[in-house]
Amino acid sequence: MTTRRIIDLLRNGQPNETVIVKGWVRTKREQKEFTFLEVNDGSSMAGLQVVVNQDVPGYAETMKRVNTGASVEVDGMLVESPAKGQRIELRASSITVYGEADPETYPLQKKRHSFEFLRTIGHLRSRTNTLGAVFRVRNAAATAIHQFFQERGFLWVHTPIISASDCEGAGEMFTVTGFDLKRVPLTENQAVDFSKDFFGRQSYLTVSGQLEAEIMAMAFSNVYTFGPTFRAENSNTSRHLAEFWMVEPEMAFCDLEGDMDLAEAFLKHIFKQVLESCPEDMEFFNQRIDNSVLATANNIIDNEFARVTYTEAIAILEKSGKTFEYPYQWGSDLQSEHERYLAEEYFKKPTIVTDYPAQIKAFYMRLNDDEKTVRAMDILAPKIGEIIGGSQREERLDVLEKRIQAQGLDPAPYWWYLDLRRFGTVPHAGFGLGFERLVQFMTGMGNIRDVIPFPRAPLEVEF
Ligand code: ATP
Ligand code: MN
């Protein structure tokens, strides 16, 4: 007989079926003549109630070894459950203990633990209800993303993790080196001599796969990346990680309108799929983490996103009469509080802001005819702020060269990027979605460290 997943039994199991389940004991309640166990195998929020009668072979001995956290195999028969809230339970005919968990030292006893505490036991926290639900939703969202693009004929391209270029021009990058750090070669000017390093020049963990995705879009028309990216930003916020996953579609023969339409359809698709495949987990988030999670999801699915230009957004902020912590004026970047005001209070739904001032956006964004703004778009989400950043790319060689210069960048390393504008250039556009921001947004989780299994942030690399 094969082992059955608990989610399958809870949904489809019928009385009188004999089954085997394997999992970890969440709770144990001893009665006079029998013991209740709740066994969870990670397949669902709810565990399976197991009833172990004292006539089960080795009952007393085994029950001593079975405590919260122990791993077990239970063989038995499904029966209708007399208890409220569950259709079936498992009457055990035998129990095998794989590994015990000492009640004196196992940290996850049945009680509420803070997320901060759970981060200190990153090797165990996935066994809790909340983290379990987060990682199932994360998996469902990732699956929905691939499904969305694959159905539309996008090619999934694997862009490199080690890169020599700084896509954002932001400079917040981790250097990758093969140097013996005790003997780093220096140049005459006492600078590090990267020409002697592994790659013959300074290299970094990538901050984005966009530039490489553009290369691939110029061959396959529609492509996307979905992989890890890195930022050495020493900002300890609840929305920034040093290592996070990014989704970056790139479309040839596409302008900013097409880009926004795709991004909106994309978010709607993911929310729909996750609500469909993880209803219990989403219900849990709504009840226990943030009671607007389901309303927000339905808001996304049912409404058209608001679309405003940056210039209009500034006017809205001016008219709001609110005093913000950070000042703003035309030409300054929107801070999180401004973004949240727009999405949360003013439009009350996801809001796409377009046509930002050129000087605050990356060099590759297409310059508008006013020569002051670029064809950029950010999607701002209620509670989170920026969740997607995208743009139509500058496809005109002469304009792109000028923009690189204007931003004080050295054009030399971008020779191949400029070549794409020399050989068969086309209008193209794309966007980047921070995957963890999306999962945060879907689940209502307050801290981004709790939506990735093993968070990497300043001073945080233990597990
Ligand atoms: P922010 O202003 O929030 O720092 P950004 O402007 O640096 O974002 P981009 O460079 O446009 O962000 O990156 C694309 C997307 O990646 C963002 O829209 C966001 O969803 C996500 N993102 C950016 N930085 C981080 C980070 N440190 N941790 C997690 N996600 C991030
Ligand atoms: Mn940033």
Side-chain angles (χ1 to χ4, degrees):
M1 219 177 5
T2 54
T3 307
R4 299 273 296 273
R5 297 288 278 169
I6 285 171
I7 189 159
D8 172 33
L9 296 180
L10 293 175
R11 284 184 184 164
N12 312 312
Q14 293 304 324
N16 298 323
E17 276 186 83
T18 53
V19 299
I20 301 173
V21 300
K22 294 172 181 168
W24 291 265
V25 174
R26 284 285 176 84
T27 56
K28 169 183 168 187
R29 282 182 293 137
E30 277 180 292
Q31 313 288 323
K32 247 203 189 126
E33 288 161 1
F34 59 92
T35 300
F36 286 122
L37 300 178
E38 192 203 333
V39 177
N40 191 294
D41 65 359
S43 61
S44 71
M45 165 74 55
L48 182 66
Q49 169 148 296
V50 175
V51 187
V52 194
N53 264 307
Q54 60 181 1
D55 57 10
V56 166
Y59 177 80
E61 185 66 11
T62 308
M63 281 306 120
K64 253 183 251 152
R65 300 177 61 212
V66 173
N67 292 292
T68 296
S71 46
V72 294
E73 170 179 330
V74 187
D75 299 23
M77 184 187 280
L78 296 180
V79 295
E80 266 174 45
S81 177
K84 254 221 257 156
Q86 55 191 22
R87 197 172 54 83
I88 49 152
E89 58 188 35
L90 177 59
R91 187 160 299 160
S93 55
S94 78
I95 282 207
T96 313
V97 182
Y98 280 91
E100 298 176 36
D102 180 358
E104 298 295 315
T105 52
Y106 182 59
L108 281 181
Q109 299 304 322
K110 186 89 190 170
K111 64 166 192 148
R112 279 252 185 160
H113 301 283
S114 73
F115 293 128
E116 287 74 21
F117 168 71
L118 290 177
R119 265 174 244 142
T120 68
I121 50 167
H123 57 311
L124 299 171
R125 68 172 185 163
S126 294
R127 302 184 195 180
T128 61
N129 281 342
T130 308
L131 277 293
V134 167
F135 299 137
R136 279 186 299 273
V137 164
R138 188 180 163 104
N139 169 69
T143 305
I145 287 168
H146 283 298
Q147 186 194 36
F148 177 85
F149 289 123
Q150 293 296 327
E151 276 174 0
R152 283 165 177 74
F154 281 60
L155 199 77
W156 179 22
V157 297
H158 304 100
T159 49
I161 286 171
I162 300 175
S163 160
S165 57
D166 171 7
C167 171
E168 295 296 314
E172 292 174 324
M173 295 186 294
F174 290 103
T175 293
V176 175
T177 180
F179 281 148
D180 173 351
L181 294 185
K182 286 202 210 95
R183 287 185 211 86
V184 176
L186 298 179
T187 62
E188 278 172 15
N189 309 328
Q190 302 298 301
V192 176
D193 187 357
F194 284 104
S195 72
K196 299 207 172 69
D197 202 353
F198 189 94
F199 297 107
R201 58 194 282 195
Q202 190 167 9
S203 309
Y204 313 90
L205 293 179
T206 188
V207 295
S208 159
Q210 182 199 316
L211 302 190
E212 289 92 350
E214 284 187 53
I215 294 179
M216 298 304 268
M218 293 303 118
F220 298 97
S221 305
N222 292 336
V223 303
Y224 68 106
T225 72
F226 189 172
T229 52
F230 308 84
R231 305 268 168 105
E233 43 199 357
N234 208 344
S235 56
N236 249 310
T237 80
S238 59
R239 308 183 309 125
H240 289 90
L241 290 165
E243 175 178 309
F244 63 100
W245 285 62
M246 192 124 81
V247 182
E248 294 176 284
E250 190 70 36
M251 287 96 56
F253 311 103
C254 182
D255 61 11
L256 195 71
E257 270 66 39
D259 199 31
M260 288 191 282
D261 291 345
L262 187 90
E264 184 168 341
F266 170 74
L267 287 175
K268 287 182 154 75
H269 173 87
I270 302 168
F271 274 88
K272 238 189 237 156
Q273 287 298 309
V274 170
L275 283 183
E276 241 173 77
S277 52
C278 301
E280 293 93 357
D281 294 324
M282 292 301 288
E283 186 64 46
F284 171 87
F285 290 119
N286 201 59
Q287 275 177 24
R288 303 286 283 273
I289 303 296
D290 177 344
N291 63 14
S292 66
V293 156
L294 289 179
T296 303
N298 288 315
N299 181 338
I300 300 240
I301 294 169
D302 297 337
N303 289 303
E304 261 181 46
F305 293 7
R307 297 185 185 192
V308 282
T309 65
Y310 168 91
T311 304
E312 288 161 354
I314 292 289
I316 290 169
L317 292 175
E318 274 165 1
K319 271 191 243 138
S320 72
K322 276 181 78 108
T323 40
F324 293 99
E325 193 183 330
Y326 289 93
Y328 58 85
Q329 63 189 44
W330 199 99
S332 67
D333 208 356
L334 297 180
Q335 299 296 321
S336 178
E337 56 173 340
H338 309 136
E339 298 179 343
R340 290 183 59 163
Y341 172 78
L342 290 168
E344 242 165 88
E345 294 183 47
Y346 189 81
F347 289 108
K348 299 188 166 55
K349 56 185 185 177
T351 301
I352 313 183
V353 181
T354 62
D355 301 290
Y356 283 79
Q359 71 264 26
I360 57 169
K361 289 291 183 186
F363 69 89
Y364 51 73
M365 299 189 180
R366 194 178 197 280
L367 195 63
N368 281 317
D369 291 344
D370 65 11
E371 300 205 347
K372 284 198 219 97
T373 58
V374 288
R375 293 249 77 190
M377 64 115 175
D378 280 3
I379 302 190
L380 314 178
K383 298 234 159 75
I384 304 287
E386 178 187 337
I387 186 166
I388 280 181
S391 65
Q392 184 172 337
R393 320 306 188 189
E394 184 55 76
E395 86 283 12
R396 299 162 296 186
L397 179 63
D398 55 328
V399 184
L400 185 60
E401 281 174 330
K402 275 191 213 122
R403 293 269 289 137
I404 289 177
Q405 268 165 12
Q407 303 227 345
L409 296 167
D410 176 10
Y414 293 106
W415 67 271
W416 49 267
Y417 192 69
L418 293 164
D419 257 8
L420 297 177
R421 279 74 182 166
R422 284 190 187 99
F423 310 127
T425 191
V426 298
H428 61 291
F431 63 81
L433 165 86
F435 184 55
E436 284 73 20
R437 296 259 178 102
L438 174 78
V439 179
Q440 253 193 301
F441 181 38
M442 299 189 108
T443 58
M445 293 296 287
N447 195 309
I448 197 166
R449 291 166 179 75
D450 301 324
V451 298
I452 186 166
F454 307 105
R456 298 289 175 256
L459 304 178
E460 211 167 337
V461 70
E462 176 85 23
F463 304 99

